[in-house]
Amino acid sequence: MNKEFKLPDVGEGLTEADIVTWRVKPGDVVTINQVIVEIETAKSLVELPSPYAGTVSRLLVEEGTTVDVGTPIIEITDSAAGEATGPEAPAAPAAGVGTIPQGSTAEQRPAADTGRQPVLVGYGVRPGSTSRRPRRDPSTRPASYPASPSMTSAPPAVASPAAAAAPAAPAAPTGAPAPAPASAGPRALAKPPVRRLARDLGIDLSSLAGTGPQGTVTRDDVEKAAARPATDRSVAGNEERIPVKGVRKATAAAMVASAFTAPHVTEFLQIDITNTMAALPRLRALPEFAGVKVSPLLLVARALLTAVGRHPMINSSWDEAAREIVVKHYVNLGIAVATDRGLLVPSVKGAHEMPLAELARGLDELAATTRSGKATPADLSGGTITITNVGVFGVDSGTPILTPGEAAILAFGAIRDMPWVVDGELAVRKVTTLSLSFDHRIVDGELGSAVLRDVGSMLEDPIRMLAWS
């Protein structure tokens, strides 16, 4: 019996995703919980496990295609010997309902021999809750769908969008996949992040000579190609069009919603952080911080956490439906991270309870995970207050926009040697600018000023962090 696996909702109510890389091809035998495809949502890269055991009949969606949740993406022919039994067996699909019960998680199932921890969460959204995006112009689609580098046989034929939406036809005999049209060329070797970068920059990977191992196209190869004159890579003249999708699409929608929902106020404070900078080498020398990155951001984070403890209302959210302010007596500290896919804001959960060394590890690991594209939807949600470090870009200050659902965001500017008056004498000191944006429905000027002043005071004299903690 042929079964279609529909694109699930992998968390946070996301309604669509991009198919990045297929890990299987027609004719492959798959087991339950074997990773079959990597997708990119508006928040992260996710590996999807198979809910069925059997043989892959068809891949219904091409790599690089954006599809809605609930759209069939692969067809699998069940094998009698490979079907799951007991609590692991997937439920038979009903009309409009996915094969995995709503609210279930893949963590509730035993992992297969692959050793991977499946990340599938829930299944689909309610019928009618989302509108379908317009179909792509068929003239812009590739003539064939080439196989991924790991595939050793000829690339399979892929159903058209119309076929993917239509009832499945009887499965062809499983065996060797259908040969690709003669026009299909070899697929360039490149990792998914490099493919996304090339797609965003309008670079044809097949036109590049890879300099990585076994001819793999690297990030440097793509960036060098992008640095060529526009006439070398665009027949449309001096204009370039980049599709707004994935993280950029989600970020744009969130920022518009935040800017036009919460009345923003931003205050600025320039401070002397010479003492904080002097404390960093002493922290790095402590055994508790061995192998951990100790940066000024760590002490900025600790100062903000201490200020939240002194002024809990700054760590709140506005509940429009209930007409209530929700004060959160815990801190999930968001840190804005610039990535190839756009700006992401993962959060360190329970940051208010962490010792300084543990907070340093949490910040370091979360930033590395996010930049590598492996942050989970859980990492990228649930924040209560955010820090954005614009100083790493050489910027002194700015007016940051609130992360939706939060009442405040602190921007930390570049640290510069500047003339400063100390005890009536002019001296050269380490100076930076802090800026705090807050939701004026929740935070009035007095509270916002008190929080910003407290953070500044602790960074001017780190001993205050001990006194106020």
Side-chain angles (χ1 to χ4, degrees):
M1 181 173 63
N2 294 333
K3 292 187 176 180
E4 290 181 341
F5 175 38
K6 299 176 181 179
L7 180 69
D9 174 7
V10 294
E12 296 302 307
L14 300 172
T15 60
E16 64 182 17
D18 298 338
I19 304 298
V20 177
T21 305
W22 282 107
R23 303 287 181 83
V24 295
K25 61 183 182 298
D28 283 355
V29 176
V30 297
T31 58
I32 290 177
N33 286 334
Q34 175 183 338
V35 174
I36 57 176
V37 64
E38 183 181 44
I39 66 171
E40 180 181 15
T41 71
K43 294 191 173 183
S44 60
L45 290 173
V46 178
E47 294 177 330
L48 295 184
S50 173
Y52 308 121
T55 303
V56 177
S57 302
R58 294 189 298 163
L59 304 181
L60 304 177
V61 180
E62 301 172 1
E63 289 182 356
T65 303
T66 301
V67 294
D68 294 332
V69 166
T71 301
I73 60 174
I74 187 172
E75 183 179 85
I76 297 175
T77 301
D78 277 355
S79 57
E83 288 194 6
T85 59
E88 200 174 53
V97 181
T99 57
I100 299 177
Q102 178 71 29
S104 68
T105 64
E107 285 78 5
Q108 295 169 332
R109 296 196 184 104
D113 292 340
T114 58
R116 294 181 181 272
Q117 182 68 24
V119 293
L120 192 60
V121 180
Y123 194 89
V125 293
R126 294 180 181 178
S129 64
T130 59
S131 58
R132 296 191 64 83
R133 64 190 295 122
R135 295 291 185 187
R136 291 186 179 180
D137 185 346
S139 64
T140 65
R141 291 184 175 273
S144 64
Y145 168 39
S148 67
S150 62
M151 300 178 184
T152 56
S153 58
V158 175
S160 66
T174 59
S183 60
R187 188 182 188 207
L189 296 176
K191 294 181 179 180
V194 176
R195 293 187 183 281
R196 287 193 300 275
L197 177 62
R199 184 170 68 241
D200 289 344
L201 296 178
I203 303 299
D204 181 5
L205 286 176
S206 64
S207 67
L208 304 182
T211 60
Q214 300 179 339
T216 301
V217 178
T218 66
R219 179 183 179 84
D220 287 342
D221 296 333
V222 174
E223 290 177 342
K224 288 177 181 177
R228 298 171 191 165
T231 53
D232 291 344
R233 57 188 173 94
S234 174
V235 297
N238 294 325
E239 291 186 353
E240 179 182 2
R241 291 180 177 267
I242 300 174
V244 178
K245 57 197 298 187
V247 170
R248 295 185 187 279
K249 179 178 178 180
T251 300
M255 292 300 96
V256 169
S258 177
F260 290 98
T261 300
H264 284 56
V265 172
T266 305
E267 295 186 338
F268 302 86
L269 179 65
Q270 193 173 52
I271 58 172
D272 172 6
I273 63 167
T274 303
N275 292 332
T276 288
M277 298 303 293
L280 294 177
R282 298 169 63 186
L283 283 175
R284 296 184 186 114
L286 296 176
E288 292 85 355
F289 293 88
V292 180
K293 182 179 180 181
V294 178
S295 69
L297 179 62
L298 172 62
L299 294 184
V300 173
R302 173 55 69 197
L304 180 60
L305 291 170
T306 303
V308 167
R310 290 166 57 84
H311 309 282
M313 187 70 77
I314 198 71
N315 189 52
S316 303
S317 62
W318 180 274
D319 187 337
E320 182 65 32
R323 304 297 295 177
E324 294 174 341
I325 294 172
V326 182
V327 182
K328 298 168 183 177
H329 297 290
Y330 60 92
V331 181
N332 294 338
L333 182 62
I335 301 294
V337 178
T339 73
D340 293 341
R341 301 167 57 228
L343 183 68
L344 296 173
V345 186
S347 59
V348 179
K349 304 301 190 289
H352 63 295
E353 297 179 331
M354 292 182 175
L356 192 60
E358 184 181 352
L359 179 62
R361 290 187 181 88
L363 293 172
D364 202 16
E365 292 171 1
L366 195 60
T369 299
T370 303
R371 291 191 184 98
S372 69
K374 298 301 182 182
T376 66
D379 292 332
L380 298 166
S381 61
T384 62
I385 193 168
T386 295
I387 297 175
T388 178
N389 184 5
V390 298
V392 295
F393 308 115
V395 174
D396 293 328
S397 65
T399 56
I401 296 178
L402 295 170
T403 302
E406 298 179 14
I409 179 172
L410 178 71
F412 173 44
I415 300 170
R416 304 187 185 279
D417 288 336
M418 295 182 65
W420 200 261
V421 177
V422 180
D423 297 328
E425 300 289 336
L426 195 62
V428 176
R429 306 289 284 182
K430 300 290 185 183
V431 175
T432 191
T433 301
L434 303 175
S435 52
L436 183 73
S437 290
F438 48 87
D439 185 340
H440 217 350
R441 297 173 299 179
I442 302 172
V443 182
D444 58 23
E446 180 182 8
L447 175 58
S449 300
V451 170
L452 186 58
R453 181 63 259 173
D454 278 5
V455 172
S457 296
M458 286 182 275
L459 294 175
E460 287 178 335
D461 183 3
I463 294 298
R464 286 195 176 95
M465 292 188 204
L466 297 177
W468 293 347
S469 296

